[in-house]
Amino acid sequence: MKRILGEYSQILGYTFTGLVFGLSFFILFINFYHYKEVSITVQATDYTREIYSKIQNNLAQVKSNASLYDVNSYAGSENKYELLSIQSRLNLCMNSFEDEKIKEFFDKKTIGISDVYKLESLYQQKVINGCIVKQIYDLTSIEGDAAKFTSNSVRTIAPFIKLESNALIKRTGFISSNIKNNSSYYFGNRDARNNIFDLTKDSYYEVLNSYEEASSFLVEISNWYVKVIGGLV
């Protein structure tokens, strides 16, 4: 009896080992297909360089506009320290927009879905959160005892800032979700590969366009700033 139970246990052990080995091989196999799926790339085009050139031109204009203010020589009616704070915010935004990690993506000749995911994450972290939310949207803190800005000029521009900022904040949020939802484990086929290709291309250009739109928004804020300090745009 003991001998039979021993042989039976041995058979069960071999069977279990075989099942574990088979499952491991299967997982490894479908991971290989998943790797091939997400390795699909698209070619960066002249449009990428065109967008990057527009962004650089916008940032140059913002830098120039921000540099026009001198707190020591300002003799206007606005609170000069609030204007100094706005100048500082514009300069901090430049640091967010010109992040070196973001710049690397504009030099790439091919773009994969993982590149798009990383670029969108950096865009949200640096441009949206680092600049639009923390620096620009914060200008609308004009009510109550905790108000950071009290000038009429800021009150006038505040509704526009809220409107444009909210639009930018919401614009690319769906991209990461779409990429995650398409990151499934299955055997690749032509339709799946085409879907990944289209998702990569469309998402990449959506982030680039949003980046350029955010820089244009910053130009508008800096042009308003120049008018407030008494300069000419």
Side-chain angles (χ1 to χ4, degrees):
M1 186 68 178
K2 290 182 179 180
R3 179 183 174 187
I4 294 175
L5 289 175
E7 291 178 352
Y8 183 70
S9 298
Q10 193 174 35
I11 291 171
L12 287 177
Y14 287 144
T15 302
F16 180 75
T17 301
L19 288 173
V20 171
F21 178 79
L23 180 61
S24 299
F25 180 78
F26 179 73
I27 292 175
L28 179 65
F29 192 58
I30 61 175
N31 267 281
F32 170 75
Y33 271 92
H34 183 63
Y35 164 76
K36 296 293 287 183
E37 168 192 307
V38 299
S39 294
I40 295 171
T41 60
V42 297
Q43 295 290 324
T45 64
D46 290 338
Y47 182 70
T48 305
R49 289 180 284 274
E50 179 184 338
I51 287 290
Y52 186 63
S53 178
K54 288 181 179 179
I55 293 170
Q56 291 301 103
N57 289 338
N58 285 342
L59 297 183
Q61 184 174 347
V62 173
K63 284 182 181 178
S64 176
N65 287 345
S67 69
L68 296 176
Y69 179 66
D70 183 353
V71 66
N72 295 316
S73 61
Y74 178 71
S77 59
E78 300 288 346
N79 184 313
K80 65 179 182 179
Y81 295 108
E82 287 188 7
L83 295 178
L84 182 63
S85 175
I86 297 171
Q87 182 186 52
S88 176
R89 289 167 183 268
L90 290 172
N91 288 329
L92 286 172
C93 275
M94 292 301 93
N95 294 334
S96 296
F97 271 85
E98 296 180 328
D99 182 78
E100 289 299 325
K101 290 183 179 179
I102 292 180
K103 285 183 178 181
E104 291 175 3
F105 287 94
F106 288 97
D107 295 327
K108 284 180 173 289
K109 295 182 178 180
T110 58
I111 300 295
I113 195 70
S114 61
D115 293 320
V116 176
Y117 185 84
K118 292 174 185 176
L119 177 59
E120 199 277 333
S121 297
L122 282 170
Y123 172 75
Q124 288 290 337
Q125 177 189 350
K126 301 293 185 178
V127 175
I128 296 300
N129 294 330
C131 172
I132 302 302
V133 174
K134 291 183 179 180
Q135 307 303 333
I136 303 304
Y137 192 86
D138 199 47
L139 290 173
T140 64
S141 177
I142 55 178
E143 304 294 342
D145 295 335
K148 297 179 181 178
F149 297 90
T150 59
S151 73
N152 289 329
S153 295
V154 175
R155 289 180 179 276
T156 301
I157 195 73
F160 171 73
I161 291 176
K162 287 183 178 180
L163 182 66
E164 292 299 315
S165 295
N166 285 326
L168 287 169
I169 290 167
K170 296 175 182 177
R171 178 163 178 174
T172 64
F174 70 94
I175 291 177
S176 294
S177 298
N178 283 352
I179 291 174
K180 288 178 180 178
N181 291 336
N182 279 273
S183 182
S184 56
Y185 291 90
Y186 53 82
F187 294 103
N189 54 49
R190 181 174 297 176
D191 289 340
R193 288 192 294 271
N194 287 341
N195 286 339
I196 292 294
F197 179 85
D198 290 339
L199 179 63
T200 301
K201 181 178 65 175
D202 294 343
S203 299
Y204 179 57
Y205 288 126
E206 182 65 28
V207 176
L208 292 185
N209 288 329
S210 298
Y211 192 9
E212 192 271 329
E213 185 178 330
S215 69
S216 295
F217 170 56
L218 207 60
V219 168
E220 293 187 74
I221 298 301
S222 70
N223 286 342
W224 159 81
Y225 181 67
V226 171
K227 291 178 182 177
V228 170
I229 64 177
L232 297 176
V233 179

